[in-house]
Amino acid sequence: MMTMYVYSTDGEARGFVFETTIYGMDGAPLGRIVGPRVHRFDGSYAGEWFHQMVVDRPTARPRSLPSIEAPARKPPAAPTYRRRSVAEYGNYPDAFDRLLGRGALYEAAE
């Protein structure tokens, strides 16, 4: 089975996807993909799923979902190559750090 990686907007592999769950490269569960949206397990909105990235899209309609229990850890992902940046990807700010509890939505709340 081939791993589907989650990349930052600058091309760095930040995690991987199994079914609809996003894991960190270390195998820690971080969030879930629900349609075009990405949410943390506490139900908070993290960003939009776009070209294997979690991004902040201005056209998004953020909303919270009920919390769910995080799944078990997975084995760490194998290292992978860095993906080259593509101009279109730079149109949206990277939001992967929101899955880690960091980013604009969380800083504004503090």
Side-chain angles (χ1 to χ4, degrees), residues 9-82:
T9 54
D10 69 357
E12 175 188 0
R14 300 287 312 272
F16 63 95
V17 175
F18 179 77
E19 295 176 348
T20 60
T21 301
I22 296 175
Y23 294 85
M25 292 297 284
D26 64 355
L30 301 176
R32 59 189 169 138
I33 302 168
V34 181
R37 295 179 182 93
V38 177
H39 294 268
R40 293 168 40 112
F41 296 110
D42 67 5
S44 60
Y45 172 82
E48 297 290 305
W49 183 242
F50 179 74
H51 293 288
Q52 290 179 254
M53 297 177 297
V54 180
V55 299
D56 187 12
R57 290 179 73 173
T59 57
R61 293 182 172 159
R63 63 184 171 132
S64 294
L65 296 176
S67 64
I68 64 168
E69 189 171 327
R73 291 180 74 92
K74 294 277 184 207
T80 187
Y81 62 90
R82 185 177 182 88

Side-chain angles (χ1 to χ4, degrees), residues 70-102:
R73 291 180 74 92
K74 294 277 184 207
T80 187
Y81 62 90
R82 185 177 182 88
R83 179 166 87 169
R84 71 182 176 101
S85 297
V86 177
E88 179 186 352
Y89 298 163
N91 290 340
Y92 305 115
D94 193 284
F96 187 89
D97 281 346
R98 291 180 187 164
L99 292 172
L100 306 173
R102 301 188 297 258

